[in-house]
Amino acid sequence: MSAMWTATAKTPFLGYRYETKSGRGKMLVPDAPADGIIREAFEGYASGRFASQAEVKRFLEGFPDLLNKRKGKLTQQRVTDILTQPVYTGHICSEVYDLNWLRAQHEPLVSLDVFDKVQERRNGTAKAPKRKNIGDHFALRGIATCACCTVPLRSSITKGNGGQYHYYLCQTKGCDHYGKSIKRDKIEGEVGS
């Protein structure tokens, strides 16, 4: 659980604004259209539409007029702050005031269920998309090492002249064999003989 981050008087949390209510003083109220964008970011990440926080960041960067950006860029930390703020569920948490999930007076933008799914995805194992050059094409990937620097060789598939060509290569900067490629069939043929 994270503590509330410092909010400015103008934009306390992206998707909310302050409004003075009689008998209650200043309260957070949804700020259209930013509230819908924040809701879509949460729901998209919870459902898997956005595979990573980086994709959420790119989505939010598509709305430059709505973002309170620093130096013209939305930071990854700001995206993390948004995705971990219980205030979007209509709750208040503060380590300073020892408040843990206190039900607030403002309208939530996302449900607790969506918020929990986002936290599960954030804390789960990151999954990278499957690469073409990993599977069965390279039997010695991670095993074959550079003769010069002894670092495992990387694999590469290039296209040209109507076919695909498979190579192993050293990508260690400073190595004498940096960038030099060796045909896959040559290395794997030497191992088999």
Side-chain angles (χ1 to χ4, degrees), residues 153-166:
L153 296 173
R154 298 211 179 164
S155 56
S156 173
I157 300 174
T158 59
K159 293 181 182 180
N161 294 333
Q164 290 186 345
Y165 303 94
H166 300 79

Side-chain angles (χ1 to χ4, degrees), residues 103-184:
R103 182 76 179 110
Q105 299 290 320
H106 65 274
E107 179 185 332
L109 294 185
V110 296
S111 69
L112 277 173
D113 186 45
V114 168
F115 186 81
D116 288 341
K117 284 180 184 175
V118 166
Q119 302 321 303
E120 286 173 14
R121 291 213 51 219
R122 285 189 67 255
N123 297 325
T125 307
K127 294 178 181 152
K130 186 176 179 193
R131 292 176 39 178
K132 280 192 229 175
N133 62 351
I134 289 184
D136 299 330
H137 296 290
F138 296 94
L140 298 177
R141 189 170 195 275
I143 299 170
T145 59
C146 176
C148 182
C149 66
T150 68
V151 172
L153 296 173
R154 298 211 179 164
S155 56
S156 173
I157 300 174
T158 59
K159 293 181 182 180
N161 294 333
Q164 290 186 345
Y165 303 94
H166 300 79
Y167 295 97
Y168 287 97
L169 64 148
C170 179
Q171 289 289 296
T172 307
K173 292 188 178 181
C175 177
D176 292 338
H177 294 130
Y178 174 74
K180 293 184 180 176
S181 57
I182 305 161
K183 289 185 180 180
R184 174 193 67 182

Side-chain angles (χ1 to χ4, degrees), residues 32-74:
D35 61 338
I37 293 166
I38 292 297
R39 189 176 294 113
E40 188 175 349
F42 267 97
E43 290 171 357
Y45 190 52
S47 69
R49 176 178 153 212
F50 302 126
S52 66
Q53 284 188 208
E55 287 187 20
V56 175
K57 180 177 181 274
R58 282 191 289 276
F59 169 74
L60 292 174
E61 286 175 335
F63 303 94
D65 296 341
L66 303 175
L67 301 175
N68 183 12
K69 298 186 289 184
R70 213 174 146 185
K71 297 181 184 175
K73 271 189 116 169
L74 177 69

Side-chain angles (χ1 to χ4, degrees), residues 79-104:
V79 173
T80 300
D81 289 344
I82 290 169
L83 292 176
T84 58
Q85 285 303 317
V87 73
Y88 291 110
T89 66
H91 290 83
I92 299 172
C93 294
S94 174
E95 292 172 1
V96 175
Y97 298 107
D98 197 29
L99 299 174
N100 292 317
W101 291 92
L102 178 66
R103 182 76 179 110

